[in-house]
């Protein structure tokens, strides 16, 4: 099965206010509604699970019911760190042959093309990332903030989501990671790279519009891009 895991456990503190950013309303719907809708309307996705903060589980369940999101079968509790949300999904799904697509709830403009390419890549690879070429020159600095390296830009990418795996691979990577007392991570592909170094992670081409809503300015850009997408769809 192709199972989308919507990671909605973040606090959204950089946007300010008490409401997590995935529950902010843009263009008549909350951000998480926009995101779930993309996966719910994708014919290749069989099932959706939403991982939420414990205190917002009832709100997520209400959103799912009000929108009649037919593919959302589970609303799972997350944890303090992002990887706790990934672990919650791994505990809920036990079939190692399943494809798990971990996606940020605050990337509501992911396209069906990206999702389809990820699922197709999982026919050959067991770990898949989404990324776009880096447009800025990246510099590496030391503890004194002095440049120690300038990696060639043609090999650099800005990572996006979904990050996709055969369930057995990401489960094995986390099993090893949790035995490491120094374990820290910000993304699932990083866990695979560190603890299963011989497992190739294929990169699917992302899109610049597949942005993560982090700051207030991003909300205005999202609304503009959303309106443009709706307009283009109506003209086709």
């Amino acid at each position: 099965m192709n199972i989308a895991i919507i990671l909605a456990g973040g606090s959204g503190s950089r946007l300010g206010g008490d409401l997590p950013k995935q529950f902010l309303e843009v263009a008549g719907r909350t951000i998480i509604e926009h995101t779930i809708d993309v996966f719910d309307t994708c014919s290749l996705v069989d099932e959706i699970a939403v991982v939420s903060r414990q205190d917002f589980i009832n709100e997520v369940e209400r959103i799912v019911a009000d929108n009649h999101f037919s593919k959302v079968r589970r609303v799972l509790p997350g944890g303090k760190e992002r990887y706790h949300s990934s672990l919650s999904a791994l505990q809920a799904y036990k079939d190692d042959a399943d494809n798990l697509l971990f996606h940020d709830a605050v990337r509501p403009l992911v396209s069906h093309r990206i999702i389809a390419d990820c699922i197709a890549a999982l026919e050959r690879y067991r770990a898949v990332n989404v990324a776009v070429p880096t447009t800025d020159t990246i510099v590496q600095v030391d503890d004194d903030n002095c440049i120690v390296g300038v990696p060639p830009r043609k090999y650099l990418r800005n990572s996006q989501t979904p990050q996709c795996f055969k369930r057995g691979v990401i489960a094995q990577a986390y099993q090893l990671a949790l035995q490491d007392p120094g374990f820290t991570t910000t993304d699932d592909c990083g866990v695979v790279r560190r603890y299963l170094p011989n497992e190739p992670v294929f990169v699917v081409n992302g899109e610049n519009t597949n942005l993560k809503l982090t700051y207030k300015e991003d909300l205005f850009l999202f609304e503009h891009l959303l309106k443009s997408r709706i307009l283009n769809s109506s003209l086709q």
Side-chain angles (χ1 to χ4, degrees):
M1 295 220 310
N2 298 318
I3 303 167
I5 310 297
I6 309 298
L7 302 174
S11 62
S13 57
R14 279 174 286 190
L15 269 175
D18 297 326
L19 190 67
K21 56 189 173 183
Q22 56 269 30
F23 297 103
L24 296 177
E25 188 172 303
V26 179
R29 305 178 89 179
T30 60
I31 292 169
I32 193 173
E33 286 176 271
H34 289 289
T35 303
I36 295 174
D37 187 66
V38 177
F39 289 90
D40 200 64
T41 56
C42 181
S43 62
L44 296 175
V45 173
D46 299 303
E47 185 170 326
I48 300 170
V50 181
V51 187
S52 171
R53 276 175 40 176
Q54 185 74 50
D55 52 339
F56 278 88
I57 284 181
N58 289 340
E59 177 64 12
V60 172
E61 291 175 339
R62 182 196 64 78
I63 286 172
V64 171
D66 288 350
N67 286 273
H68 305 287
F69 288 134
S70 61
K71 293 182 182 179
V72 178
R73 307 291 169 76
R74 303 172 191 255
V75 179
L76 306 169
K80 182 180 179 181
E81 303 294 338
R82 184 188 185 280
Y83 75 88
H84 291 142
S85 294
S86 298
L87 289 172
S88 182
L90 289 174
Q91 292 166 2
Y93 293 97
K94 301 296 186 182
D95 190 339
D96 284 346
D98 281 340
N99 294 330
L100 301 185
L101 288 70
F102 294 89
H103 186 70
D104 298 325
V106 290
R107 288 187 189 270
L109 286 174
V110 62
S111 68
H112 285 181
R113 193 278 302 167
I114 289 177
I115 297 170
D117 284 359
C118 286
I119 292 172
L122 284 171
E123 295 178 6
R124 181 177 179 184
Y125 298 92
R126 301 193 301 169
V128 175
N129 198 4
V130 174
V132 293
T134 297
T135 57
D136 295 321
T137 296
I138 305 298
V139 297
Q140 181 182 0
V141 300
D142 59 17
D143 291 337
D144 296 321
N145 215 36
C146 292
I147 292 177
V148 295
V150 183
R153 192 166 63 185
K154 69 177 182 177
Y155 296 119
L156 300 178
R157 301 290 185 272
N158 291 332
S159 183
Q160 301 181 340
T161 65
Q163 293 188 339
C164 313
F165 312 89
K166 291 295 181 184
R167 191 268 177 194
V169 167
I170 189 63
Q172 182 185 4
Y174 269 113
Q175 183 180 28
L176 294 171
L178 294 175
Q179 298 172 21
D180 179 1
F183 168 61
T184 59
T185 188
T186 57
D187 76 306
D188 298 307
C189 281
V191 178
V192 172
R193 284 290 302 147
R194 181 172 180 180
Y195 295 98
L196 297 176
N198 293 323
E199 186 71 49
V201 181
F202 182 73
V203 177
V204 162
N205 290 328
E207 296 168 1
N208 290 330
T209 53
N210 184 26
L211 72 162
K212 185 176 183 179
L213 306 183
T214 304
Y215 303 103
K216 290 182 179 179
E217 295 81 3
D218 296 333
L219 300 180
F220 298 106
L221 178 58
F222 165 52
E223 185 169 16
H224 171 74
L225 293 171
L226 181 64
K227 289 179 179 178
S228 297
R229 177 176 288 187
I230 293 172
L231 177 62
N232 290 336
S233 297
S234 65
L235 295 176
Q236 291 177 356

